[in-house]
mmCIF file of all heavy atoms in Angstrom:
data_model
loop_
_atom_site.group_PDB
_atom_site.id
_atom_site.type_symbol
_atom_site.label_atom_id
_atom_site.label_comp_id
_atom_site.label_asym_id
_atom_site.label_seq_id
_atom_site.Cartn_x
_atom_site.Cartn_y
_atom_site.Cartn_z
ATOM 1 N N VAL A 146 8.950 15.872 -1.131
ATOM 2 C CA VAL A 146 7.831 16.680 -0.419
ATOM 3 C C VAL A 146 7.599 17.749 -1.651
ATOM 4 O O VAL A 146 8.469 18.438 -2.164
ATOM 5 C CB VAL A 146 8.332 17.425 0.728
ATOM 6 C CG1 VAL A 146 7.275 18.519 1.153
ATOM 7 C CG2 VAL A 146 8.690 16.524 1.876
ATOM 8 N N GLN A 182 -2.997 20.149 -19.543
ATOM 9 C CA GLN A 182 -3.518 20.944 -18.460
ATOM 10 C C GLN A 182 -3.116 22.415 -18.597
ATOM 11 O O GLN A 182 -3.804 23.299 -18.421
ATOM 12 C CB GLN A 182 -3.074 20.341 -17.103
ATOM 13 C CG GLN A 182 -3.544 21.003 -15.763
ATOM 14 C CD GLN A 182 -2.767 22.366 -15.563
ATOM 15 O OE1 GLN A 182 -1.566 22.464 -15.940
ATOM 16 N NE2 GLN A 182 -3.435 23.157 -14.699
ATOM 17 N N ASP A 280 10.197 80.047 -1.193
ATOM 18 C CA ASP A 280 10.675 79.600 -2.519
ATOM 19 C C ASP A 280 11.540 78.464 -2.341
ATOM 20 O O ASP A 280 11.516 77.531 -3.182
ATOM 21 C CB ASP A 280 11.600 80.797 -3.219
ATOM 22 C CG ASP A 280 10.634 81.822 -3.812
ATOM 23 O OD1 ASP A 280 9.450 81.610 -3.808
ATOM 24 O OD2 ASP A 280 11.152 82.841 -4.288
ATOM 25 N N ASN A 294 9.594 63.658 -11.238
ATOM 26 C CA ASN A 294 10.056 63.268 -12.454
ATOM 27 C C ASN A 294 9.939 64.252 -13.641
ATOM 28 O O ASN A 294 9.763 63.930 -14.774
ATOM 29 C CB ASN A 294 9.286 62.119 -12.939
ATOM 30 C CG ASN A 294 10.039 60.827 -12.257
ATOM 31 O OD1 ASN A 294 11.182 60.518 -12.463
ATOM 32 N ND2 ASN A 294 9.283 60.091 -11.440
ATOM 33 N N SER A 321 27.787 86.480 -10.505
ATOM 34 C CA SER A 321 27.565 85.393 -11.544
ATOM 35 C C SER A 321 26.436 85.785 -12.482
ATOM 36 O O SER A 321 25.905 86.823 -12.386
ATOM 37 C CB SER A 321 27.158 84.165 -10.807
ATOM 38 O OG SER A 321 27.190 83.007 -11.765
ATOM 39 N N MET A 364 20.013 76.233 -8.648
ATOM 40 C CA MET A 364 20.524 75.566 -7.489
ATOM 41 C C MET A 364 21.524 76.458 -6.797
ATOM 42 O O MET A 364 22.638 76.612 -7.459
ATOM 43 C CB MET A 364 21.161 74.140 -7.890
ATOM 44 C CG MET A 364 21.791 73.334 -6.817
ATOM 45 S SD MET A 364 20.680 73.071 -5.403
ATOM 46 C CE MET A 364 19.702 71.624 -5.842
ATOM 47 N N HIS A 378 2.534 80.959 -20.008
ATOM 48 C CA HIS A 378 2.090 80.426 -21.316
ATOM 49 C C HIS A 378 3.222 80.265 -22.194
ATOM 50 O O HIS A 378 4.283 80.921 -21.932
ATOM 51 C CB HIS A 378 1.048 81.365 -21.977
ATOM 52 C CG HIS A 378 -0.185 81.661 -21.104
ATOM 53 N ND1 HIS A 378 -1.266 80.969 -20.982
ATOM 54 C CD2 HIS A 378 -0.453 82.797 -20.275
ATOM 55 C CE1 HIS A 378 -2.072 81.515 -20.139
ATOM 56 N NE2 HIS A 378 -1.498 82.634 -19.591
ATOM 57 N N ASP A 392 8.836 90.504 -7.726
ATOM 58 C CA ASP A 392 7.625 91.016 -8.089
ATOM 59 C C ASP A 392 6.863 91.165 -6.835
ATOM 60 O O ASP A 392 7.099 90.688 -5.780
ATOM 61 C CB ASP A 392 6.802 90.293 -9.125
ATOM 62 C CG ASP A 392 7.479 90.231 -10.483
ATOM 63 O OD1 ASP A 392 8.144 91.303 -10.802
ATOM 64 O OD2 ASP A 392 7.269 89.339 -11.273
ATOM 65 N N PHE A 403 0.028 78.583 -10.253
ATOM 66 C CA PHE A 403 -0.442 78.047 -11.617
ATOM 67 C C PHE A 403 0.547 76.898 -12.217
ATOM 68 O O PHE A 403 0.124 76.060 -12.829
ATOM 69 C CB PHE A 403 -0.692 79.240 -12.567
ATOM 70 C CG PHE A 403 -2.044 79.701 -12.495
ATOM 71 C CD1 PHE A 403 -2.366 80.705 -11.559
ATOM 72 C CD2 PHE A 403 -3.112 79.235 -13.146
ATOM 73 C CE1 PHE A 403 -3.682 81.227 -11.443
ATOM 74 C CE2 PHE A 403 -4.369 79.625 -13.014
ATOM 75 C CZ PHE A 403 -4.691 80.646 -12.268
ATOM 76 N N HIS A 449 3.353 40.970 -6.918
ATOM 77 C CA HIS A 449 3.481 42.350 -7.320
ATOM 78 C C HIS A 449 2.255 42.945 -8.032
ATOM 79 O O HIS A 449 2.219 44.075 -8.468
ATOM 80 C CB HIS A 449 4.796 42.597 -8.071
ATOM 81 C CG HIS A 449 5.918 42.227 -7.251
ATOM 82 N ND1 HIS A 449 6.462 43.136 -6.335
ATOM 83 C CD2 HIS A 449 6.779 41.181 -7.275
ATOM 84 C CE1 HIS A 449 7.486 42.468 -5.639
ATOM 85 N NE2 HIS A 449 7.627 41.400 -6.235
ATOM 86 N N THR A 504 19.755 60.250 -15.707
ATOM 87 C CA THR A 504 20.906 60.738 -16.503
ATOM 88 C C THR A 504 20.307 61.584 -17.665
ATOM 89 O O THR A 504 20.786 62.576 -17.962
ATOM 90 C CB THR A 504 21.656 59.448 -17.176
ATOM 91 O OG1 THR A 504 22.132 58.651 -16.016
ATOM 92 C CG2 THR A 504 22.879 59.922 -17.915
ATOM 93 N N TYR A 539 16.474 30.810 -16.434
ATOM 94 C CA TYR A 539 16.846 30.945 -17.954
ATOM 95 C C TYR A 539 18.393 30.970 -18.049
ATOM 96 O O TYR A 539 18.962 32.079 -18.061
ATOM 97 C CB TYR A 539 16.393 32.219 -18.505
ATOM 98 C CG TYR A 539 14.717 32.288 -18.655
ATOM 99 C CD1 TYR A 539 14.019 32.870 -17.639
ATOM 100 C CD2 TYR A 539 14.126 31.696 -19.782
ATOM 101 C CE1 TYR A 539 12.653 32.815 -17.770
ATOM 102 C CE2 TYR A 539 12.718 31.691 -19.826
ATOM 103 C CZ TYR A 539 12.052 32.247 -18.815
ATOM 104 O OH TYR A 539 10.709 32.293 -18.826
ATOM 105 N N SER A 541 20.347 30.410 -20.472
ATOM 106 C CA SER A 541 20.933 30.886 -21.741
ATOM 107 C C SER A 541 19.825 31.786 -22.591
ATOM 108 O O SER A 541 18.625 31.582 -22.195
ATOM 109 C CB SER A 541 21.417 29.630 -22.530
ATOM 110 O OG SER A 541 20.169 29.033 -23.227
ATOM 111 N N PRO A 620 -8.643 83.331 -13.818
ATOM 112 C CA PRO A 620 -7.601 83.241 -14.692
ATOM 113 C C PRO A 620 -6.270 83.534 -14.107
ATOM 114 O O PRO A 620 -6.159 84.382 -13.146
ATOM 115 C CB PRO A 620 -7.967 84.132 -15.753
ATOM 116 C CG PRO A 620 -9.408 84.654 -15.452
ATOM 117 C CD PRO A 620 -9.636 84.331 -14.042
ATOM 118 N N SER A 629 -3.724 90.876 -4.943
ATOM 119 C CA SER A 629 -3.721 90.996 -3.488
ATOM 120 C C SER A 629 -3.988 89.580 -2.888
ATOM 121 O O SER A 629 -4.406 88.636 -3.585
ATOM 122 C CB SER A 629 -4.726 92.071 -3.088
ATOM 123 O OG SER A 629 -5.996 91.606 -3.388
ATOM 124 N N VAL A 717 0.520 47.836 -6.543
ATOM 125 C CA VAL A 717 -0.311 48.952 -6.583
ATOM 126 C C VAL A 717 -1.637 48.676 -5.859
ATOM 127 O O VAL A 717 -2.314 47.854 -6.526
ATOM 128 C CB VAL A 717 -0.602 49.549 -7.952
ATOM 129 C CG1 VAL A 717 -1.587 50.586 -7.964
ATOM 130 C CG2 VAL A 717 0.784 50.002 -8.569
#
Side-chain angles (χ1 to χ4, degrees):
V146 181
Q182 186 278 335
D280 282 354
N294 277 302
S321 191
M364 181 51 80
H378 306 273
D392 286 339
F403 273 93
H449 296 285
T504 303
Y539 295 92
S541 72
S629 64
V717 175

